[in-house]
Amino acid sequence: MKRIALFSAMALSIGLMGCASNGGGMASAGEDGSTYMTKSFKEVIATSFQAKGSAGLDRLVQTEAQHECSKYDYLGKPLPKDIAARIEKDHYSKVVYPADGQYFGDWKAGLKIAEDGKGMTWNDKPGTPNGGNCINCHQMIPNNPSQGNLGPSLIGYGKTRGNSEQIVKYTWARIYDSTSFNACSQMPPLGASHALTQQQMKDIMALLFDPNSPVNK
Amino acid sequence: MAYPMRMRANIEGDAVVVRVLMTHPEETGLLKDKEGKIIPAHFIQTVTCKNNDKTVLTCDWGTAISKNPFLEFRFKGGKSGDKVTVSWIDNKGDTSTADTTVS
Amino acid sequence: MNQTRRQVMQIGAGAAALGVAASAGLMPSIAQAADAPGWNAQLFEAKSFADVAKIWGGTPTESTDVSIIGPDIAENGAVVPVGVKSNAAGTTALGIVVEKNPTSLVAQFNMTDVSIPNVATRIKMAQTSNVYAVAKVGDKLLFSKKEIKVTLGGCGG
Amino acid sequence: MKKRFIGIAISAAATTSFYALTLGVGLTPTVAHADSYIDMLNQMGGNPAEFNVSAGEKLFKEKRGPNHKSLETCDFGLGPGVLKGAYAQLPRYFADTGKVQDVESRLVTCMETIQGFSKEQIEKDVLKDPFAKNGGNATDIVNLAAYVAHQSDGMPMEVPQNTPQEKLSFENGKKFFWYRAGPYNFSCATCHAENDKQIKISKLPNLSTPDGEKAWVAATWPAYPDSQGVVRTLEWRMNDCMRQQRIAEPKYLSQVVIDLETYMGVMAKGHKILTPSFKR
């Protein structure tokens, strides 16, 4: 991910120290010596929000990955390799694969999920299925002008990659928690966050791999 | 119900260009409200545009004019100080009229 | 407008329009109240450019004398800016027609001897469609068309 | 409201029109995005939010509250009653409140100090439900903000960075810009840190640097987003971004929103204000 330091002068004077290796939540983050989680910034976060709908105040509490990525992005520096590797390993170890070994559902259902941008906001009803938000950021369907480009194009995904066990499991893990491969991935961890059910993930997998899916046409 | 309008009429070359912004819900009659009840159609049907007492343009509109309608039109023979008047009638018989001076 | 005039209109143009709509087997959804004098309900119930043209009484011919401008892609079908213009001498009316709207005619602009056939407005589009600028010139209907894609922008959430 | 009925470009040349601009410039985008749609609406003019500016002016000049006073002596940073250019320099630090305030926050201050509204009354009438429903009627505070902002229309954005408080507001805004949180792992930067990015068809401003693509978007609020059918302020934009970020709701006039406005205002430095503008 390419990020540009805003005002490099501001970032210069900052002394970095080692970071909390576990948890990394708001409470402990300020004590790591960085000028990111200052007392005043923590206060801004602590006083500015209110819970609404399903979106509670706990949603402001950062995971270790979120904290480290935010901090280094703000500083305009790359995340140190050792921290990145530790985060990725940790997340990868927590990926849950389908117990029945079945990775593919219905690509037609997957298409609907991919096009659906709803889910987990404070005005979405809890209990209703969430969307996958896929085409918000990825091109998936040929000749649809309204697809995003924050993520890479997925057009022809299965056709160009085949369906070896390795690529199938990798793809599942990517959707489940992209942080497993890139500590500061911009992609939401759709499985780990329980945004999508296993069945919904299988439907999206079918959309990506099925030769009859528009992705591979 | 009040339906304010905003208008401007400017001489551009040999034409008077009039730009009118109206307030109107422009309901198509095809949409439902939160309770699932059809929102009745409510839209402007005719617009009459005059320069002093002379009609310069009339419009017939259906339901596909956007909410808070905008109209830009032009006519010849106007001069600075003329009074341009725009008035409309909607399908419920409501009306609104506004005028402005050509500058 | 006062009640009396409203009632008069109801049994005038409105009632006539209702009759037309009913005989055509259409839901008179937009013609049930008091239509404004001169407003042609039948025209605004037409479901295609061809039907609109039939009521106008002419065979449409594509012409470079007529032009239409609008965005290639509209991020919101509820508000689409469109301008129509005719360079043909003797243009008596301009029309905006959206082929794939539930009813096709959006607006008709009736010219006088001092009008310049060059108008702009904002229209609603139900979906991606050809949009026609039509000019009535004598007994001819000249048009040009432009496809405007309607697609929802934003996150959709 | 004084001048602009039609968009930025048109007012520049009397003979130019919607046609000349659009036909002249050519409207075939090489990349499939919809900026030309918004540009066309802005060029065409006739923004429905102009009615909100008028409504805001009426409210602003009306004697209201226990003190039966108008807001005409309200100080938006350039002295009591000076509106021209004031919005271009908001948010800014105000010594009397000891806070960095945006236009709505300052309006609330003046409603308290000048008009004599009680905190409870303001909580109930202003803070509790500041954002109109989609397609509804804008609230008083938003109409007032639209009016005050419009008095800086056409002027360059100059959000000040003179006091320690203003600098801190910028810095905390920048920090929050990069702050990832929530189940989707999103920060503002997820969508707004690179050029040439879009969500579906909608172009995204790059707010990570003043040189970023459309980093000046703060200069286009308050605006009339077609998808909303009602005038909206930057406070609303921050609120709705955080909704889609899947985090908790920022309180109205909260520090995080004001800090982000300061950050975005500085990103827009020098950019000519266009308000009310059209948005998607």
Side-chain angles (χ1 to χ4, degrees):
Chain A
M1 193 174 356
K2 270 201 319 254
R3 291 281 155 85
I4 306 147
L6 179 51
F7 297 130
S8 48
M10 282 178 189
L12 278 181
S13 61
I14 290 155
L16 289 166
M17 288 170 58
C19 307
S21 59
N22 54 356
M26 278 162 57
S28 62
E31 285 88 55
D32 67 0
S34 95
T35 51
Y36 185 56
M37 288 308 273
T38 50
K39 187 167 169 257
S40 110
F41 183 50
K42 280 199 268 190
E43 200 176 288
V44 169
I45 290 171
T47 58
S48 294
F49 292 90
Q50 59 198 5
K52 186 169 181 179
S54 65
L57 289 173
D58 57 323
R59 293 207 183 171
L60 270 309
V61 180
Q62 291 183 309
T63 63
E64 186 203 10
Q66 287 173 340
H67 168 67
E68 295 296 345
C69 295
S70 303
K71 185 175 71 184
Y72 282 95
D73 277 346
Y74 164 72
L75 297 173
K77 295 185 172 187
L79 183 68
K81 285 204 173 81
D82 57 327
I83 301 178
R86 194 183 64 236
I87 289 169
E88 288 159 13
K89 196 175 158 209
D90 175 47
H91 281 251
Y92 190 62
S93 72
K94 290 172 185 159
V95 173
V96 177
Y97 297 91
D100 57 4
Q102 185 52 257
Y103 283 87
F104 301 114
D106 171 10
W107 69 259
K108 284 176 188 150
L111 181 60
K112 284 204 183 87
I113 297 163
E115 288 173 335
D116 187 351
K118 290 195 183 64
M120 296 187 99
T121 75
W122 64 62
N123 59 6
D124 290 312
K125 269 202 198 94
T128 53
N130 298 319
N133 286 267
C134 310
I135 68 156
N136 279 351
C137 299
H138 295 282
Q139 288 188 31
M140 296 184 90
I141 300 135
N143 303 319
N144 176 349
S146 195
Q147 302 182 95
N149 65 357
L150 283 160
S153 169
L154 302 174
I155 288 177
Y157 190 89
K159 201 157 78 180
T160 52
R161 288 170 182 79
N163 60 353
S164 66
E165 191 190 339
Q166 193 192 3
I167 190 71
V168 168
K169 285 188 80 173
Y170 161 79
T171 305
W172 179 273
R174 258 288 174 186
I175 299 169
Y176 189 91
D177 187 356
S178 187
T179 310
S180 307
F181 304 95
N182 172 2
C184 296
S185 170
Q186 285 168 280
M187 178 166 158
L190 293 164
S193 67
H194 305 294
L196 298 182
T197 62
Q198 270 209 355
Q199 186 55 50
Q200 285 180 305
M201 282 182 62
K202 289 178 182 183
D203 293 339
I204 288 172
M205 289 288 286
L207 180 69
L208 288 169
F209 285 97
D210 195 306
N212 295 317
S213 141
V215 170
N216 297 313
K217 282 287 171 192
Chain B
M1 187 167 175
Y3 299 95
M5 277 197 249
R6 303 181 61 82
M7 298 176 58
R8 243 173 64 159
N10 296 97
I11 294 175
E12 294 183 10
D14 56 0
V16 174
V17 180
V18 185
R19 296 180 179 92
V20 197
L21 174 61
M22 312 169 189
T23 34
H24 201 281
E26 291 295 316
E27 291 292 351
T28 58
L30 300 170
L31 295 178
K32 289 177 180 170
D33 63 15
K34 280 223 167 96
E35 283 78 48
K37 252 180 64 184
I38 292 268
I39 304 167
H42 188 199
F43 62 100
I44 293 173
Q45 290 185 318
T46 60
V47 185
T48 304
C49 312
K50 290 184 172 177
N51 186 37
N52 297 327
D53 288 330
K54 182 176 168 53
T55 298
V56 294
L57 179 81
T58 65
C59 312
D60 300 311
W61 286 356
T63 53
I65 293 288
S66 302
K67 176 184 164 173
N68 296 326
F70 175 76
L71 170 65
E72 177 182 310
F73 66 94
R74 30 202 88 214
F75 65 88
K76 291 171 289 194
K79 56 185 189 307
S80 181
D82 282 359
K83 189 169 106 172
V84 177
T85 310
V86 170
S87 54
W88 56 252
I89 306 175
D90 71 19
N91 67 319
K92 293 186 178 178
D94 289 342
T95 68
S96 182
T97 299
D99 59 61
T100 189
T101 305
V102 177
S103 61
Chain C
M1 174 172 301
N2 64 40
Q3 195 54 41
T4 322
R5 182 154 168 220
R6 230 184 254 210
Q7 282 162 348
V8 170
M9 283 184 9
Q10 216 146 9
I11 47 172
L18 266 173
V20 169
S23 64
L26 304 168
M27 267 296 290
S29 57
I30 58 171
Q32 58 204 354
D35 285 331
W39 191 78
N40 185 342
Q42 194 190 1
L43 198 49
F44 284 99
E45 292 281 6
K47 305 278 189 207
S48 67
F49 181 28
D51 287 355
V52 171
K54 212 178 288 169
I55 299 168
W56 274 336
T59 310
T61 316
E62 195 150 7
S63 166
T64 51
D65 280 341
V66 181
S67 56
I68 176 164
I69 55 165
D72 292 344
I73 299 172
E75 274 172 289
N76 192 323
V79 188
V80 184
V82 168
V84 295
K85 179 180 176 182
S86 169
N87 290 327
T91 299
T92 54
L94 285 174
I96 301 173
V97 174
V98 178
E99 179 72 24
K100 289 189 182 165
N101 269 4
T103 54
S104 295
L105 181 65
V106 175
Q108 177 177 327
F109 304 90
N110 308 298
M111 304 296 141
T112 65
D113 56 337
V114 294
S115 307
I116 299 171
N118 178 352
V119 298
T121 186
R122 297 191 288 250
I123 68 170
K124 293 176 202 160
M125 291 179 65
Q127 57 182 305
T128 297
S129 172
N130 275 327
V131 180
Y132 296 87
V134 191
K136 270 195 193 180
V137 184
D139 55 4
K140 283 183 299 189
L141 290 178
L142 307 180
F143 75 88
S144 70
K145 65 173 191 267
K146 175 185 173 64
E147 190 194 50
I148 297 179
K149 288 195 173 73
V150 174
T151 178
L152 278 181
C155 305
Chain D
M1 185 164 29
K2 345 166 246 352
K3 41 186 178 90
R4 200 194 62 247
F5 192 84
I6 47 171
I8 13 169
I10 294 178
S11 53
T15 51
T16 347
S17 72
F18 182 44
Y19 279 104
L21 276 165
T22 45
L23 289 177
V25 172
L27 274 170
T28 316
T30 47
V31 185
H33 64 76
D35 265 14
S36 64
Y37 162 72
I38 297 297
D39 292 344
M40 280 181 83
L41 282 166
N42 280 327
Q43 285 163 9
M44 196 167 165
N47 193 311
E50 291 170 19
F51 293 114
N52 300 92
V53 171
S54 301
E57 178 175 15
K58 196 162 158 263
L59 264 171
F60 194 82
K61 295 178 174 168
E62 191 182 311
K63 291 183 170 64
R64 298 199 304 156
N67 296 348
H68 198 61
K69 280 192 173 149
S70 79
L71 290 168
E72 285 163 298
T73 57
C74 185
D75 183 355
F76 290 92
L78 303 181
V82 182
L83 290 186
K84 195 173 167 57
Y87 182 78
Q89 299 187 33
L90 290 173
R92 73 183 300 137
Y93 176 71
F94 290 87
D96 58 353
T97 55
K99 287 196 288 198
V100 175
Q101 297 183 279
D102 65 0
V103 63
E104 287 138 287
S105 162
R106 195 60 189 168
L107 279 162
V108 165
T109 298
C110 289
M111 287 170 71
E112 285 175 16
T113 56
I114 297 170
Q115 296 184 314
F117 286 106
S118 68
K119 283 217 163 13
E120 294 70 34
Q121 195 71 31
I122 283 179
E123 179 64 39
K124 187 167 144 277
D125 294 347
V126 181
L127 306 182
K128 215 178 139 229
D129 220 358
F131 305 126
K133 282 198 182 67
N134 198 319
N137 293 320
T139 55
D140 286 354
I141 188 81
V142 169
N143 283 336
L144 286 165
Y147 166 66
V148 174
H150 182 69
Q151 306 316 305
S152 296
D153 187 42
M155 300 177 73
M157 283 286 278
E158 288 294 341
V159 173
Q161 286 285 282
N162 300 324
T163 64
Q165 292 87 349
E166 287 162 354
K167 288 175 183 160
L168 181 66
S169 178
F170 171 87
E171 208 54 33
N172 283 340
K174 182 183 169 189
K175 285 178 178 180
F176 195 81
F177 175 77
W178 294 104
Y179 190 84
R180 289 169 175 244
Y184 280 25
N185 233 351
F186 287 157
S187 63
C188 309
T190 304
C191 295
H192 296 291
E194 288 179 83
N195 289 350
D196 299 318
K197 292 296 178 189
Q198 60 189 66
I199 288 272
K200 284 195 190 153
I201 197 94
S202 304
K203 274 288 217 174
L204 297 162
N206 172 3
L207 299 164
S208 68
T209 154
D211 305 325
E213 187 176 25
K214 291 169 77 182
W216 40 259
V217 281
T220 60
W221 295 90
Y224 182 90
D226 292 331
S227 60
Q228 297 295 312
V230 62
V231 65
R232 299 294 196 194
T233 61
L234 197 48
E235 281 266 353
W236 171 84
R237 179 66 274 179
M238 297 299 99
N239 179 285
D240 205 54
C241 271
M242 291 186 203
R243 182 181 64 80
Q244 294 187 313
Q245 202 182 338
R246 272 83 181 176
I247 58 174
E249 185 183 36
K251 295 174 198 164
Y252 191 53
L253 314 182
S254 63
Q255 196 63 49
V256 75
V257 170
I258 288 170
D259 291 349
L260 282 168
E261 288 176 299
T262 303
Y263 176 75
M264 287 180 69
V266 171
M267 290 295 120
K269 185 179 166 64
H271 195 86
K272 214 165 126 182
I273 292 173
L274 173 62
T275 181
S277 73
F278 277 99
K279 298 212 170 270
R280 173 181 65 77

